[in-house]
Every structure is written in C-alpha cells, then in structure tokens.
C-alpha cells in the first residue's frame, strides 16, 4: 500500500516494461494501489443502512478511513500451494454500533470431498497504533494498522470507521489440488452475512524448510519484563511459544538454544574471572589481572572451593594497582559441608594499593564450626553496592596458610600448565533443542555463540578471553583450538553444520577490520567448516577469504561483491533496521505494506541469500524511557535510539516499528498483574514478510522445475518459464524503485504457479 502525506492519489510511473508469459505481453507499471479517485482498492460485498462489508487480498494496509471500494466481488478468492499460508482482509464499516460481532470460517471442500478443515484458519483483528512522530517525510501522523491479536470472542464495532479482520488459511501438505469452497460467516445482533470463499489449491507443495535464510533477534530479558515472568520455568514455556511463532512465520530466530546452551567443564584452571597476565607479574610466569571498567558492576576473580579444618588461617598476597592509593578489596567466604554459603561468615577487608608490587595479608580469625570450605574473592577496586568505582589491580602469590607453611590455595601463584587444561563439552540439552527447533521446526539458521570470542561494533570493542587467557596469547589460541574442533565435529555429526553462523562483530568501522580478520582467521584455522558472518557496509573492505556470509544494510548494497560471493558459493545477506528510510524498501509501520514482501522479491532479483532483522521485540529504549518505566508498544510505536553512548533521557527516533515485529500480550506493562504465559501478538508486517518468503519458494521451485525439464514439450515450456525468473523492471528496478501495487506481485505469483504445475505434471 502506498500512502502519502496529503492522502491524495500519486502515480509514480516508470517506463512501461513488457514481459512474456504464456505467450502474452503485459504492461506492468508502478502505480499507487489506493486508486482513491476510483473509490479505493478491494471488492464490495454489501453496503446498506447497517454497514458496508468488503474484502481485499492480504497484501494491503487498510487505514481507518480507507474508502469503500466501488468494484463488486461477492466471493473471496485466494490461491495457495500446499504448506502455504494465504490471507485475506474482510473489512466492516458500520453505519451504527454493532454488538456481539462474530466471524467464523467453515471447512473448505472440493467436489471430490477433500477438505481443508476449519481449524486451519485463523482470524485476527487488525489493531491500530497512533503515530505521532512520523518516521520520515514520506510518512504522516495518524492511526496505522499493525498489531494482529487473535479474535477469541465477540467484539463491539463502532460506526464510521473501518474495522478490518485478517483471515489466514493454511493449506496442509498433501491437500489434493483443486478448487475448494466454504464460507466466512459474519453476525451481530439483528444481522448476519455469509460470504463465499473459493480456495484454489495448486498441485505442488512449498518446502518444509524455507529457501530464504534468515536471522531474527529476540531478547528474552525484555520478554520476561513485559510478560512479568519471574519463574525460570515460565520463561522456558513462553520462549517455546515464541519459537512456535517464528516457525509459523517461517523466519529463523538468532538463538533457539537460549535455554539449552552447550555446557562447558574446564578443568586445570582454579580461578574464574580476571586475566592471566604474563607481562605484569610479581614472580613466576603469570599474575592475575582483574579489571573493572563498569560504573554499575563489580567484576571479581574467585577461587575454586578450598577444603579447610578448624585451624587458624591467614591469607597473604602481593598486589599492584593501576593508580597509587587505589582502594581494592579481598573477601573470604565460608561454606558448609554441602558447599552452601554461610551468609554472615564473610571475612572481608579493604586495602590501599600502590603502583608498585606490595605484600598484603589479613588474619581470618576463628572460623565457624560448620565451615568446611572457603572461597577467595579478589576485587580490583572498592566493592560497593552500586559498583561505581573503576580500576585495575594485579594479584600474585596468594597464599592461605594454617601456620604449617602449607599453601591450601591451589594455583595461588596463578601458574597454569596448559597441557593439563581439559575442555569437556556437554551437548545433551543443546541436542534436544536442536532436534526440536532445527529438525522439527525447520529453522534454517542459528547464531552460534562461541565461548572466548571477542565482541564489538564500530562504537567500541572487547578482545576475546578464554578462561582468563586474552586474545593474542599462545594459551588463548591453543584453548580455542581444542574448543572449536569439538564444536565443528559435533555439528557435523548432527547434520546441522552450515546452519550456524558466527555473528560476533557488528558493523565494523575501517579501524576494526584487522581485529575482525584476526578473529575470523582463528575460527577458519581450527574449524574451517564453521560459518563466519559479518554485518558490514564499509566500501573497499573485503574479508571474504575468511568470512562466509557478508550481510549489508539495504541502502549500501555492493552488487559486484554479491556476484563474486555467489560465484564462490558464499552468501550475501541484507538487513533492515533504523535505516534505510524512504524511498528505499524499509521495515517501518508507517511505510508501504508491500515493502517487506518486496524485500524478498528484490533479494531474488539480486541473488541475495538471506535476510536479517536485529530484533523482533525491541519494545523499550533504556535511553529514551524514564528509569523503571516500560514503553508501551501498543500506545507508542516509535523505536528510540538506545546505547551507543546515548545519555539516559535523550529521545532520538529510529523509526516506527524498528526492531519490533511482535507485540507483548500484556497491553499494560507498567501495571503489576500476572505472569503472562502466552505467546506474542504478531504484526501485519510479519504476515506480509511471510508471503514474500513463500513467493521466494515459488521462484526456487520454478527454477528447479526448469533445470529438471526433459523432453521437447517440457523444454519448450521451460524456455518460456525461464523469462519469469528475471523479474522485470515493472516489479522492481532497483533497491528503491519498485512497484507499490500488490496486484503486480499477486498476478506474477499466479504465473509462477501455473508454470510450476505445467513443468511438474506427468
């Protein structure tokens, strides 16, 4: 749908492009699908003193004031392959209040008695969000359709405004081809209407695993906040409901292993936290460097459990601080025989550091009778409740003595034998999740999180650390090798190798490319079959020798690079986020309905292999919202900038709906209510994106059918059909010039289907 600020008709016409299909030439023009001068789009069913009823294909955004169409259409007609979702809009514009309004869909049957059961249909109410801050000059203020909550009972409709309903029918795999008939029944107090539905089922099925690869983010911390979840078991249930919605919409989440990570057991290292530093030390090969760079957290290094008796103990060590007279803290915690913390038996002191090495100690005094184990905690700065202090401290030669000169603290000198470090990986939970989400649900990709990898963006970056050894050291390389080999081998054994993508750095600047190369080179050196991934858009940079997937923001595409990657069997993906804005294809609520569908069609035209959205539930910006307040996406559709050095309270727009394709079921997130053990509410944009992914499968199926054509007749058909694989300029000319008329895509899709049937039939 194309909407302009003054709501007037605007036709943007490119040169007319003719393309051949079934021997007929058709002119395809980029036009405004509203056709307001002709009374709008869609098909009028009934218009009387009670209400107007009309329908349209599920490819439009119906505004509250979209005009009732003049064109009649007494039967709802949709076309679908097997294993495809196909939707339509039915719009009610009451002239008076309608109480207890209901919609039901009957089963659909063909003349042979085959059925598509009523349970395969879903009915969602099209809700609206109020745009008060337009995304750009192309948009305008007003009520825009986006949330699609399920209709689970009667509703009240009010006069003089459109109320659309989004009806989706899934045609199961194995449904015989043919024409199916049924009815959509509408009723209210004193009124009812039955509308015929005609479902035309093509004689082919879409694949279970969608051809277009994808990666869509989900933040479970945000889910927990908005669903008001405090029980981890409830979070797991809700997470699985979100995964089911990802499956239904045929997109793959970043991390289906949120609650099922690979578990690591590392032996031979007796400290957690801090870094083994071979450059700054008191004695031996290493000291332990503990850094605190956060104003809100207190990083700490902690020892393993130390078994003790009832002797008198003294803790001693050497330390050096980054700044002269820097305060730091050392704590000894006490535990019982079951290794449960004895809460009020801590021994803790603060100390004043020097910028040179200095010896320290403190006596632990008599331990409680039930004490059986101790742990030592090393804080580089003064340990406060709010964690506002920052600084670095080095520790070495830590000893726990009982008066017999024996050091009860293993590796208190931080000397580590690399050959004795063992890395055991437990894939039990990971495999169970993979079997459900990769094998059963058919997700075609996942973001593989690797222990020890660095991270960063153009704004800042952090080097990798593996069990205290920093990136760039020999120890780090050897430990990463042992780890990566196991990961690659296991994924290959499970048949999942290639679905993973290692997305560890986001949007590097020129200065970051050597750092990214170093990380990817290491992965490829020790696990060459693992898939490396990078979001990038800096011209002139090329890491394709060590990067399998390059993903570029839509308005900075490099077509030549994409072509070369395709020739080498690599992948080129694209992503949408706060950019681009009009006239480019975009993800925003207050832009054209056709955009997300066209994103996938354009990906076919330019041979891009995947799509990426950074988040599906960015419902709140910590920078823009008051502290402790949750933005309500049902009331405020704007996504505001967060992070990247933004001060809290600064409200800078990213765009309406950026990173937001689901809505929380809780419409009052700031009111303490209950745990919402429900799945999310999808958006209209997500529905339209799924249609694009299914269209892409049509193109893939046609291409395969053309390649497999044999015999004179089939080869002739294949030659005709091959022209359809080259999308004409009337559909899309470039990344920002494309048809805004959904009818162009719908008609082209039917042509694709007809040729698939012809080429596949015996």
């Amino acid at each position: 749908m194309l909407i302009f600020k003054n709501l007037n008709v605007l036709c943007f016409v490119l040169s007319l492009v003719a393309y051949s299909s079934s021997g007929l030439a058709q002119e395809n023009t980029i036009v405004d699908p509203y056709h307001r001068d002709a009374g709008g789009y869609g098909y009028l069913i009934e218009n009387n003193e009670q209400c107007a009823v009309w329908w349209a294909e599920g490819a439009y955004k119906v505004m509250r004031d979209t005009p009732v169409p003049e064109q009649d259409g007494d039967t709802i007609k949709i076309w679908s392959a097997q294993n495809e979702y196909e939707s339509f809009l039915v719009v009610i514009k009451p002239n008076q209040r309608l109480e207890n309004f209901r919609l039901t869909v009957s089963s659909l049957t063909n003349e042979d008695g085959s059925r598509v059961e009523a349970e395969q249909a879903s009915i969602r109410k099209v809700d609206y969000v109020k745009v008060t801050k337009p995304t750009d000059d192309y948009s305008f203020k007003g009520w825009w359709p986006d949330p699609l909550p399920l209709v689970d009972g009667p509703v009240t409709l009010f006069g003089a405004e459109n109320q659309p309903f989004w009806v989706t029918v899934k045609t199961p795999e194995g449904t015989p081809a043919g024409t199916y008939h049924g009815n959509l029944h509408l009723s209210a107090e004193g009124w009812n209407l039955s509308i015929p539905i005609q479902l035309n089922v093509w004689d082919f099925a879409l694949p279970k695993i969608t051809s277009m690869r994808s990666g869509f983010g989900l933040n479970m911390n945000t889910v927990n906040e908005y669903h008001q979840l405090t029980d981890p078991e409830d979070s797991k249930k809700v997470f699985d409901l979100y995964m089911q919605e990802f499956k239904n919409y045929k997109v793959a989440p970043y991390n289906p292993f949120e609650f099922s990570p690979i578990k690591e057991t590392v032996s031979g290292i007796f400290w957690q936290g801090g870094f083994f530093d071979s450059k700054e030390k008191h004695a031996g090969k290493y000291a332990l460097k503990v850094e605190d760079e956060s104003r809100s957290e207190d990083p700490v290094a902690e020892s393993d459990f130390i078994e003790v008796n009832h002797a008198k103990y003294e803790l001693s060590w050497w330390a050096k601080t980054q700044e002269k007279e820097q305060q730091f803290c050392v704590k000894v915690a006490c535990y019982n025989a079951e290794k449960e913390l004895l809460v009020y038996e801590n021994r803790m002191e603060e100390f004043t550091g020097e910028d040179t090495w200095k010896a320290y100690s403190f006596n632990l005094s008599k331990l409680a009778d039930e004490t059986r184990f101790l742990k030592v905690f090393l804080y580089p700065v003064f340990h406060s409740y709010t964690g506002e202090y920052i600084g670095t401290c080095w520790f070495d030669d830590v000893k726990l003595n009982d008066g017999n000169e024996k050091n009860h603290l293993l590796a208190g000198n931080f000397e580590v034998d690399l050959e004795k470090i063992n890395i055991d990986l437990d894939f039990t939970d990971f495999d169970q999740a993979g079997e459900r989400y990769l094998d059963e649900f058919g997700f075609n990709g996942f973001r593989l999180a690797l222990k020890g990898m660095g991270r960063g963006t153009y704004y800042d970056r952090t080097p990798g650390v593996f069990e205290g050894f920093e990136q760039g050291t020999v120890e780090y390389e050897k430990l990463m090798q042992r780890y990566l080999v196991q990961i690659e081998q296991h994924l290959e054994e499970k048949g999942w190798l290639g679905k993973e993508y290692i997305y560890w750095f986001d949007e590097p600047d020129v200065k970051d490319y050597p750092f990214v190369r170093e990380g990817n080179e290491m992965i490829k050196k020790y696990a060459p079959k693992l898939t490396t991934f990078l979001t990038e858009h800096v011209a002139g940079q090329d890491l394709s020798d060590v990067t399998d997937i390059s993903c570029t923001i839509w308005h900075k595409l490099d077509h030549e690079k994409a072509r070369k990657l395709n020739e080498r069997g690599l992948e080129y993906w694209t992503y949408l986020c706060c950019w681009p804005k009009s006239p480019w294809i975009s993800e925003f609520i207050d832009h054209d309905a056709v955009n997300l569908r066209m994103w996938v069609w354009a990906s076919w035209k330019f041979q891009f292999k995947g799509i990426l959205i950074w988040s599906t539930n960015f419902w709140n910006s910590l920078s823009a919202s008051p502290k402790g307040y949750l933005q309500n996406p049902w009331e405020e559709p704007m996504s505001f900038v967060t992070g990247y050095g933004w001060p809290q309270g600064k409200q800078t727009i990213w765009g309406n709906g950026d990173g937001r394709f689901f809505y929380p079921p809780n419409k009052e997130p700031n009111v303490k209510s209950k745990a919402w053990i429900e799945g999310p509410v999808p958006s209209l944009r997500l529905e339209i994106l799924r249609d694009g992914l299914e269209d892409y499968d049509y193109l893939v199926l046609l291409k395969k059918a053309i390649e497999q054509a044999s015999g004179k007749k089939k080869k002739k058909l294949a030659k005709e059909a091959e022209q359809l694989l080259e999308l004409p300029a009337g559909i899309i000319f470039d990344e920002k010039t494309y048809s805004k008329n959904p009818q162009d895509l719908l008609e082209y899709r039917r042509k694709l289907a007809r040729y698939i049937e012809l080429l596949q039939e015996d």
Side-chain angles (χ1 to χ4, degrees):
M1 183 194 72
L2 182 60
I3 302 177
F4 298 91
K5 288 189 294 183
N6 57 11
L7 293 181
N8 291 328
V9 178
L10 178 63
C11 294
F12 175 42
V13 183
L14 288 180
S15 58
L16 300 182
V17 180
Y19 64 87
S20 176
S21 177
S22 302
L24 299 175
Q26 174 180 327
E27 289 185 342
N28 201 350
T29 308
I30 298 177
V31 297
D32 167 25
Y34 259 128
H35 305 302
R36 288 188 176 275
D37 56 342
Y41 56 85
Y43 314 93
L44 181 63
I45 297 169
E46 180 173 294
N47 195 356
N48 54 37
E49 68 279 0
Q50 285 187 304
C51 63
V53 181
W54 53 285
W55 76 276
E57 296 88 351
Y60 295 91
K61 291 182 179 178
V62 175
M63 306 295 281
R64 284 179 167 174
D65 63 346
T66 297
V68 174
E70 297 178 357
Q71 181 180 359
D72 292 334
D74 58 359
T75 299
I76 296 168
K77 297 179 181 180
I78 55 176
W79 285 260
S80 176
Q82 301 158 43
N83 193 31
E84 181 174 16
Y85 296 84
E86 190 62 22
S87 302
F88 61 87
L89 284 153
V90 59
V91 187
I92 319 301
K93 186 174 184 179
N95 293 320
Q96 59 189 31
R97 184 184 177 106
L98 290 180
E99 299 283 357
N100 293 318
F101 179 82
R102 299 176 185 269
L103 301 89
T104 57
V105 178
S106 72
S107 295
L108 306 170
T109 59
N110 71 1
E111 60 184 10
D112 297 328
S114 299
R115 295 167 64 88
V116 175
E117 301 294 346
E119 291 74 18
Q120 298 295 333
S122 64
I123 302 175
R124 296 183 178 275
K125 180 185 177 185
V126 177
D127 267 358
Y128 293 81
V129 291
K130 189 176 183 180
V131 169
T132 59
K133 305 172 187 65
T135 293
D136 53 24
D137 290 340
Y138 184 73
S139 176
F140 58 89
K141 296 180 180 180
W143 291 94
W144 286 78
D146 200 50
L148 295 179
L150 279 170
V151 176
D152 57 3
V155 297
T156 299
L157 303 184
F158 301 95
E161 287 184 346
N162 290 324
Q163 178 53 67
F165 293 87
W166 190 277
V167 184
T168 303
V169 178
K170 182 184 180 184
T171 302
E173 190 167 357
T175 301
T179 302
Y180 291 71
H181 297 278
N183 292 280
L184 175 69
H185 189 69
L186 289 65
S187 65
E189 291 181 6
W191 174 82
N192 65 80
L193 176 67
S194 186
I195 307 172
I197 301 175
Q198 178 179 304
L199 168 65
N200 304 282
V201 178
W202 302 110
D203 194 16
F204 59 88
L206 299 189
K208 177 184 175 182
I209 298 179
T210 307
S211 304
M212 171 63 73
R213 295 249 274 156
S214 59
F216 281 52
L218 175 71
N219 188 316
M220 275 305 295
N221 291 330
T222 302
V223 170
N224 290 336
E225 283 186 309
Y226 280 77
H227 286 249
Q228 300 185 10
L229 305 177
T230 57
D231 185 338
E233 291 305 312
D234 288 343
S235 294
K236 290 179 183 179
K237 293 175 186 175
V238 171
F239 175 76
D240 191 69
L241 293 173
Y242 273 79
M243 293 300 98
Q244 290 180 48
E245 288 303 293
F246 276 93
K247 174 178 75 74
N248 292 339
Y249 286 97
K250 300 190 175 184
V251 291
Y254 275 177
N255 186 15
F257 302 98
E258 178 88 22
F259 291 96
S260 309
I262 301 166
K263 295 179 180 177
E264 304 124 5
T265 301
V266 180
S267 58
I269 295 179
F270 304 98
W271 288 86
Q272 297 297 318
F275 311 103
F276 291 98
D277 192 337
S278 61
K279 297 178 181 178
E280 182 62 70
K281 59 207 173 183
H282 174 255
K285 188 174 181 180
Y286 302 107
L288 192 68
K289 176 184 178 184
V290 189
E291 287 184 303
D292 186 344
E293 298 176 334
S294 171
R295 295 285 186 184
S296 59
E297 298 176 358
D298 268 357
V300 61
E302 64 178 89
S303 70
D304 276 357
F305 285 103
I306 309 160
E307 189 170 4
V308 295
N309 52 38
H310 291 96
K312 293 182 179 180
Y313 291 92
E314 181 183 68
L315 188 72
S316 62
W317 66 94
W318 287 78
K320 174 185 174 180
T321 52
Q322 184 178 25
E323 303 293 337
K324 190 177 180 66
E325 298 186 354
Q326 176 180 315
Q327 299 295 299
F328 68 93
C329 292
V330 173
K331 179 178 75 176
V332 177
C334 299
Y335 300 80
N336 63 17
E338 290 72 39
K339 296 183 177 179
E340 297 169 336
L341 177 67
L342 302 176
V343 177
Y344 293 106
E345 289 294 329
N346 284 349
R347 273 62 170 169
M348 186 171 189
E349 295 292 345
E350 62 180 282
F351 300 89
T352 301
E354 299 290 342
D355 55 6
T356 58
W357 287 99
K358 179 181 175 182
Y360 299 84
S361 67
F362 79 92
N363 193 300
L364 302 190
S365 72
K366 180 175 173 58
L367 302 177
D369 290 343
E370 60 266 44
T371 302
R372 293 292 180 272
F373 295 92
L374 302 178
K375 267 192 174 185
V376 177
F377 295 82
L378 307 175
Y379 297 91
V381 292
F382 183 86
H383 180 48
S384 71
Y385 184 82
T386 53
E388 69 272 26
Y389 299 98
I390 61 173
T392 301
C393 185
W394 289 263
F395 298 89
D396 205 351
D397 292 330
V398 184
K399 297 178 181 179
L400 182 67
N401 293 317
D402 61 2
N404 295 321
E405 299 302 321
K406 177 184 177 182
N407 186 2
H408 292 265
L409 182 58
L410 288 174
N413 58 4
F414 306 111
E415 300 307 301
V416 179
D417 186 345
L418 195 59
E419 300 309 314
K420 293 182 179 179
I421 298 176
N422 190 44
I423 304 168
D424 285 326
L425 301 184
D426 182 354
F427 292 94
T428 304
D429 294 343
F430 181 88
D431 287 350
Q432 289 179 356
E435 287 160 10
R436 176 164 176 76
Y437 298 130
L438 302 183
D439 297 342
E440 180 186 342
F441 281 25
F443 292 152
N444 59 15
F446 67 94
R447 185 176 181 177
L448 177 63
L450 291 179
K451 176 184 176 71
M453 288 300 298
R455 58 183 173 83
T457 69
Y458 65 88
Y459 180 72
D460 61 6
R461 66 177 189 241
T462 303
V465 178
F466 196 102
E467 292 296 326
F469 292 102
E470 293 184 279
Q471 181 177 342
T473 63
V474 173
E475 294 86 352
Y476 175 84
E477 288 272 332
K478 289 185 177 180
L479 293 175
M480 287 298 291
Q481 178 182 11
R482 296 174 195 174
Y483 172 73
L484 289 169
V485 166
Q486 292 183 68
I487 298 287
E488 180 184 74
Q489 180 180 348
H490 189 80
L491 291 179
E492 189 164 31
E493 289 172 354
K494 296 295 294 185
W496 300 332
L497 190 64
K499 290 190 175 184
E500 82 293 339
Y501 53 93
I502 303 168
Y503 175 13
W504 64 278
F505 201 100
D506 187 45
E507 296 181 338
D509 199 354
V510 173
K511 68 181 184 307
D512 303 309
Y513 270 82
F515 178 71
V516 177
R517 171 173 288 282
E518 180 183 341
N520 281 4
E521 281 180 342
M522 181 194 61
I523 294 170
K524 286 301 179 184
K525 181 178 180 180
Y526 301 126
K529 296 179 183 178
L530 290 181
T531 305
T532 49
F533 180 101
L534 184 62
T535 50
E536 56 177 336
H537 48 72
V538 178
Q541 299 296 321
D542 185 9
L543 296 181
S544 61
D545 56 324
V546 290
T547 303
D548 301 298
I549 301 175
S550 176
C551 185
T552 301
I553 197 165
W554 187 249
H555 63 306
K556 294 188 177 182
L557 299 176
D558 186 335
H559 291 278
E560 180 61 17
K561 183 174 184 176
R563 183 187 66 77
K564 290 179 178 178
L565 292 179
N566 285 330
E567 288 177 353
R568 293 164 53 195
L570 303 176
E571 297 183 28
Y572 193 89
W573 291 21
T574 65
Y575 66 102
L576 299 175
C577 57
C578 53
W579 293 99
K581 295 180 169 66
S582 178
W584 307 85
I585 288 171
S586 69
E587 59 160 343
F588 303 113
I589 291 170
D590 48 341
H591 279 184
D592 304 319
V594 76
N595 272 2
L596 287 165
R597 192 168 190 167
M598 186 59 76
W599 185 23
V600 191
W601 282 69
S603 296
W604 172 269
K605 181 180 182 72
F606 302 121
Q607 294 301 292
F608 306 144
K609 306 301 183 185
I611 57 174
L612 181 136
I613 293 287
W614 70 279
S615 176
T616 53
N617 67 326
F618 180 59
W619 299 328
N620 188 40
S621 163
L622 296 179
S623 297
S625 297
K627 194 171 184 179
Y629 181 87
L630 297 177
Q631 179 183 342
N632 189 341
W634 293 89
E635 297 176 355
E636 175 52 77
M638 178 56 68
S639 295
F640 296 94
V641 176
T642 192
Y644 298 96
W646 244 240
Q648 202 283 322
K650 185 174 182 179
Q651 298 172 338
T652 306
I653 69 170
W654 265 341
N656 287 294
D658 173 35
R660 184 181 301 172
F661 284 80
F662 290 126
Y663 289 79
N666 179 9
K667 293 186 178 181
E668 295 183 332
N670 291 293
V671 177
K672 191 68 176 177
S673 55
K674 64 173 186 177
W676 294 75
I677 315 299
E678 302 175 29
V681 174
S683 62
L684 186 152
R685 291 168 297 139
L686 195 54
E687 290 273 350
I688 291 175
L689 176 64
R690 177 174 62 192
D691 287 336
L693 294 169
E694 292 177 333
D695 298 338
Y696 190 93
D697 280 335
Y698 276 57
L699 288 156
V700 171
L701 288 173
L702 181 58
K703 187 173 186 292
K704 289 180 179 177
I706 290 169
E707 292 170 349
Q708 295 169 3
S710 61
K712 186 175 181 180
K713 182 179 179 182
K714 287 285 183 70
K715 287 185 176 180
K716 182 180 178 182
L717 278 172
K719 189 173 182 180
E720 291 179 13
E722 196 168 11
Q723 298 177 64
L724 289 176
L725 299 180
E726 300 292 332
L727 300 183
I731 294 289
I732 178 166
F733 179 72
D734 60 25
E735 300 92 305
K736 59 182 178 179
T737 312
Y738 53 94
S739 173
K740 307 295 195 301
N741 189 347
Q743 293 298 330
D744 290 341
L745 299 186
L746 296 174
E747 176 57 30
Y748 206 90
R749 172 176 166 271
R750 286 193 285 270
K751 295 176 185 293
L752 297 172
R754 286 197 289 269
Y755 270 103
I756 293 169
E757 284 193 317
L758 289 170
L759 287 167
Q760 287 187 353
E761 71 180 10
D762 294 333

